[in-house]
Amino acid sequence: VASCAQASLSQLTFTWVFNEYPHFVQQDSRRFISQETGNLYIAKVEPSDVGNYTCVVNNTITKERVFSSPTPLVLRNDGAMGEYEPKIELHFPDTIPAAKGSTLKLECFALGNPVPKISWRRTSDVSFPNKVKLKNSNAILEIPSFQQEDTGTYECIAENSRGKNAARGRMSFHATPHWLQTMTDKSLSIEENLFWECKANGKPKPSYSWLKNGETLISEGRVQIENGALSISSLNLSDGGMYQCVAENKHGIIYSSAELMVLASAPSFSQNPLSRVLKARSGCDVSLDCRPHASPRAISLLCDANKLSINFRISLFPNGTLKIANVTKRDGGTYTCIAKNQFGTASTTGRLIITEPTRISQGPSSTEITVGESIVLPCQVTADPALDVAFSWAFNGQPIDFHQDADHFERVGGSFSGDLMIRNIQLNHGGKYVCLIDTDVESLSTDAILVVKGPPSPPDLVVVEEVTDSTAQLSWSPGQDNGSPITGYVIQARTPFTVGWQAVDTVPEVINGNTLTATVVGLNAWVEYEFRVLASNSVGMGEPSPPSTKIRTEDAMPDTAPTDVGGGGGTKSELVITWEPVPEELQNGEGFGYIIAFRPVGMVTWTRAVISAPSVTRYVFRNDTIPPFSPFNIKVGAFNNRGEGPFSSIATVFSAEEGRVDLYDTKPDTVGKVRITGNYTAVNVSGLQGNTQYYLAVCAFNTAGTGPQSVPVNVTTKKPPPGQPPQNVEWNLIGSQLVLQWDPVIALETESEVTGYIVSDIISLHPENALGYLIRTLSEGGLGEGSEPIHIYQLSKSFPVAVFYFVFRRH
């Protein structure tokens, strides 16, 4: 054992240096440094332990460090030490006081050979709680946050193969005093009594003492002390000062302080005078409070202008309060309160006015009203003229702010009227309205329920449950009925082709207020729809619901034929057919196009041509065998990927007339003319050159000769169509679908740009089971050169000629 001669204070820690700084001794099961004694203990010395040892004392507060003189450790040469049982060199006291909440550390270390093992136990055989920690090879037992249940006898056991030894100590619980009840400052009048009490807890139980202005108080005469209680009777001015209650046990001392002020003054009503005018309602009870400020307390006398006579209705209480029960007009008058003590006299006077009860002459009535209307809720009273009357209104328990809510609420009426006007009433104005009437002597109220009826709130959660090519199954949840039951619903739809929302047909046709599902009918196929629902009641139609999720109806064969089918005109050997295109919303699906059918009047067989461009409105059939101005029956139908739709009604048009065309150029001289016989107002001038400026004029003629020309018109013809036909045309037949492919045609600078292509049937002498097709470009300048004829064999007569897929190759 190496000793470190230094006081073991709580702010000191100890370490040891072996030979040279900073080589510190490392603690293990064989070596231990006590923080209680500062000593270094080596249970069994080894040859490696030989050297000089220096104690280092560290101050944790000042951070100072002090080194002792070196102490040498040498081995004896008189023989080897044999084995021996443990010898406890460091043990804790027999009795250990422990404060509540403190951290307790017990040290225990033994010498021995072999090196002893240390263990701990409680003699009561109660196990250690989880908070207990063992440190430094069990040489330290640490108990944090010590509590009452941790008390008892603790035992340290040191054991090796030669035997064992033990050290014991008892831990006792103690607590410094702490306050349970303290005193507070007091202001008392002379001759009053003082009582203060303070209470403290601790272990052992604390004792009490009292101080006044720092001096010990003795229990005698007017001053009596009993433990934590102090009483002083019949106070005088000398009793004022600072007092302290002291609680103390052997572990600590605590103080509680308060000031006593002893007052002495004449009566004064400066702070609590009687009201100059006091009003009371006839029939009620009235209290007149006489509250002078006086030390000691003053004797109060209340009287009216005449002498006050105490009877069964009038009572005077010791505290100076005068109470008059069931007051009448006769009780009105002037009352004076007189207060006296040994220091003087004071008085205060007030006038009591007895008023008649206030009555509500007209109050609001519960009623129903429609959104947007206005209403006046009456609130009128009959009151005594001596009273001041104030009106206020509350709506659903909250005061109405007439400034903030001026758009809807306004107070109207005179001094005894507090009518409430509500303008342009809204749904959120429905509820309970309370008129509050306050006078000097009483408060009254009257109320009414206002039910505001309005159109229903918007329905919600509009869902499309199922959809076909022409119907949609909808469901929705109802909104608030707003005071009037919902009587019906209306469904509206919107598409990219409509202007805003439009009402739609439904099944059932009329949707009553109890129905939350309906089927929309009459929809167009292959169109994107949104739906919304509106509810109605006896007030009107409400706002619409949020739109449903967008859905597209299923596709279907066309059910609408082109309209305004006609034509005629053109150049020699041409049959011109025109029509109004089918709107996109009526095309019913993808792959939309037109089927043009024509035949000479009187013939049975129709010649058909197919155009796959939905926006094309004109088809020209050229054939040298067509006689001029011959009548043809024509009709135009539609098709898409699902099949063919209906044809238009049959119309009759004429092929182009045969005529002689003279051209005009930009020179003023006439270079050509077209002569028309008959009463015409229009002519088709054909055979002009493309991209050329012309001047044209019209004149009339008869048998007498030619009349004067009109003012010339300046026009420029469009660029001619591309002269190159579609190349590399291929076709594939997949089931009943014919797929055509070709290379795109690129227009020259002097040619019109390609806007589309037309695929036409060829009138030819092919075998009966073969079809022929010709592909031509479409442009502003007209139809371009046709491709090489395409002959498609092995098609049955029922093959749907109109079902095509066209693919342009991209370079």
Side-chain angles (χ1 to χ4, degrees), residues 121-128 149-155 168 170:
R121 76 181 189 93
R122 295 175 74 171
T123 58
S124 60
D125 289 332
V126 177
S127 61
F128 292 138
E149 60 268 19
D150 297 325
T151 59
T153 300
Y154 287 72
E155 184 177 60
R168 292 183 178 181
R170 177 170 181 77

Side-chain angles (χ1 to χ4, degrees), residues 723-747:
Q724 179 185 358
Q727 302 290 331
N728 300 323
V729 180
E730 298 178 359
W731 64 272
N732 288 292
L733 184 61
I734 303 173
S736 62
Q737 296 177 341
L738 177 63
V739 179
L740 296 176
Q741 298 184 5
W742 60 88
D743 291 337
V745 175
I746 307 300

